Amino acid sequence: MKKLLTIVAMFLMSFQFATAQDNYNESFVQEQMPQFIGGEEALADWIESNISYPIMAEVNGIEGRVVVTFDVNEDGTIGNIQVEESADPILADEVVTRLQMMPQWIPAIQNGRNVKVRYTFPIYFTVS
């Protein structure tokens, strides 16, 4: 069986524009969104190279989508990884384990300072 891990182009642009609070308790969209070093193509390449189709999922014909959210922190590190939806726990475990190893990003900037941003994106596992 051929393994195939599909990633939607820039994750269907489904990231959430996070907000930061200023002294007046108002919310603003970042002036610069965080970026994976090397850009969107490098991010897609990293995910394709580092997230594998779990053998048990492949053997059992388990397919489906895993929707994850994570923070790109002020220092560019990844944190607070959460599974919002998963076709199977085996797939979710693979995604979370690999995202924990994701390299540092260029952080978002708002009002001249680095801010935290929450990303949401789906990863599709299919057996063909």
Side-chain angles (χ1 to χ4, degrees):
M1 262 192 248
K2 181 179 175 186
K3 295 181 237 178
L4 178 64
L5 172 66
T6 306
I7 302 170
V8 177
M10 195 43 207
F11 318 108
L12 297 176
M13 296 301 287
S14 63
F15 57 87
Q16 298 174 355
F17 288 92
T19 57
Q21 301 292 321
D22 69 5
N23 293 336
Y24 301 104
N25 202 26
E26 296 176 2
S27 297
F28 300 95
V29 175
Q30 292 80 350
E31 295 167 359
Q32 176 182 319
M33 291 299 292
Q35 298 176 357
F36 188 83
I37 296 176
E40 294 174 12
E41 188 174 319
L43 175 58
D45 290 344
W46 186 90
I47 290 174
E48 287 179 20
S49 297
N50 289 280
I51 297 179
S52 303
Y53 207 119
I55 294 171
M56 289 301 296
E58 183 181 5
V59 167
N60 292 311
I62 299 170
E63 299 181 317
R65 178 173 78 166
V66 177
V67 178
V68 292
T69 60
F70 61 88
D71 293 334
V72 178
N73 296 311
E74 294 89 343
D75 63 358
T77 58
I78 301 303
N80 194 22
I81 301 167
Q82 296 179 341
V83 175
E84 300 298 323
E85 174 187 327
S86 180
D88 191 274
I90 294 171
L91 301 177
D93 289 345
E94 172 67 12
V95 171
V96 170
T97 299
R98 301 305 178 173
L99 289 182
Q100 290 171 337
M101 301 183 314
M102 185 177 273
Q104 195 166 344
W105 290 42
I106 299 167
I109 298 173
Q110 178 183 336
N111 298 327
R113 68 177 203 257
N114 294 355
V115 293
K116 182 188 299 187
V117 172
R118 187 114 181 116
Y119 265 85
T120 300
F121 63 88
I123 298 176
Y124 294 87
F125 291 86
T126 59
V127 178
S128 56

